[in-house]
Amino acid sequence: MPSPVGHALAGAAAGWLVAPRGKRDELLRWGGIFALAGTAADFDLLARVHRGPSHSLAAALAAGVAAWMVCAAISSIWRDRRDAPRYDRLGAVRLASAVSAAYATHTLLDWLGVDTWAPFGIMALWPVTDHYYQSSWHIFLAVSRRYWLPDFWTLNLHALVRELAILGPIAAAAGRWRWRRPSA
């Protein structure tokens, strides 16, 4: 399973590709939100239920719905302020879709990653099924949380370098493409 760095890069890239047009500083701010959405599924580590329902596509959809609700609340609360962000219906839907896409990258990357703990894989299709899925094509290396092992740093550094080599150019290209597009 990829590291938080890999998940953040993939989330930012997916979000930027789907997000509505905006000014460069606004897109940079949203890049942080997209990166957070890309890593959010791993907050289940705090509850010790890792790779469960939070790693599903349904959770990605729920993240998009939550983002849409936040956009609607911001627009209605601050509608009279001149400097407040404004989200028309299409913009709010695009932004919610961007958050959903950013979150869904977590499911994709974990599915393509090496899993070393049973049950192997992720519950990608929860609540339709509670089966665990893992691709036979392992692109991303396992990241160890067992800091007491002698090869902890070596393994994690190798996994991180691989993630940066694969996802870094993708995130850079997505950001560059989005920033070159004319602002609304």
Side-chain angles (χ1 to χ4, degrees):
M1 306 280 168
S3 72
V5 173
H7 286 303
L9 285 172
W16 281 330
L17 291 174
V18 178
R21 294 180 184 166
K23 296 178 182 158
R24 184 180 176 126
D25 61 332
E26 184 179 52
L27 288 170
L28 283 173
R29 266 195 314 272
W30 278 110
I33 299 295
F34 300 146
L36 182 63
T39 61
D42 278 343
F43 291 150
D44 66 359
L45 284 165
L46 300 172
R48 298 178 188 232
V49 290
H50 191 51
R51 296 175 292 139
S54 68
H55 282 67
S56 69
L57 296 175
L61 181 63
V65 169
W68 180 80
M69 291 171 64
V70 167
C71 288
I74 288 172
S75 291
S76 67
I77 292 171
W78 290 335
R79 80 177 139 226
D80 296 332
R81 289 188 55 184
R82 194 178 322 165
D83 61 336
R86 305 220 188 288
Y87 301 105
D88 60 358
R89 286 186 185 198
L90 182 58
V93 168
R94 291 272 313 263
L95 199 51
S97 298
V99 169
S100 192
Y103 193 105
T105 62
H106 196 105
T107 304
L108 175 65
L109 267 58
D110 278 2
W111 179 69
L112 292 170
V114 174
D115 193 357
T116 56
W117 291 88
F120 300 107
I122 55 170
M123 294 176 78
L125 300 178
W126 180 90
V128 175
T129 178
D130 60 354
H131 289 92
Y132 285 80
Y133 296 93
Q134 183 178 23
S135 172
S136 59
W137 194 31
H138 301 297
I139 295 175
F140 301 102
L141 303 176
V143 174
S144 175
R145 291 183 294 276
R146 297 177 289 176
Y147 59 87
W148 58 88
L149 295 177
D151 57 352
F152 170 80
W153 291 105
T154 307
L155 291 174
N156 286 344
L157 185 60
H158 186 217
L160 180 63
V161 167
R162 187 170 185 166
E163 291 170 18
L164 290 172
I166 295 169
L167 298 170
I170 294 170
R176 187 178 179 114
W177 175 80
R178 175 52 68 188
W179 294 328
R180 285 189 171 207
R181 308 257 320 179
S183 296

